Amino acid sequence: MSDTAEGLPPAVIDHAAEPTQIYCRECAFEESASIPDESREDLSVSQIGDVLVCDGCGVDIATTIIDDRDD
């Protein structure tokens, strides 16, 4: 995980995009300048199911969270 993304939620929903986009924390950090605050929804670990794919890079966010816990 990049040091610059530390402290961000594990996933972010951009409701302004059509269709709505979901980003992992790394992509959300890179996209953060273009996601308006009123359109941004931060997801906590408890809101993420078994599979959640990032629209930015295609990573499975749920698997990444499990891998982070194992470190």
Side-chain angles (χ1 to χ4, degrees), residues 16-40:
E18 281 294 326
T20 299
Q21 301 290 297
I22 299 173
Y23 297 108
C24 66
R25 64 173 51 120
E26 286 81 7
C27 288
F29 178 78
E30 292 170 10
E31 297 286 328
S32 62
S34 64
I35 302 174
D37 288 342
E38 63 274 3
S39 300
R40 177 186 179 114

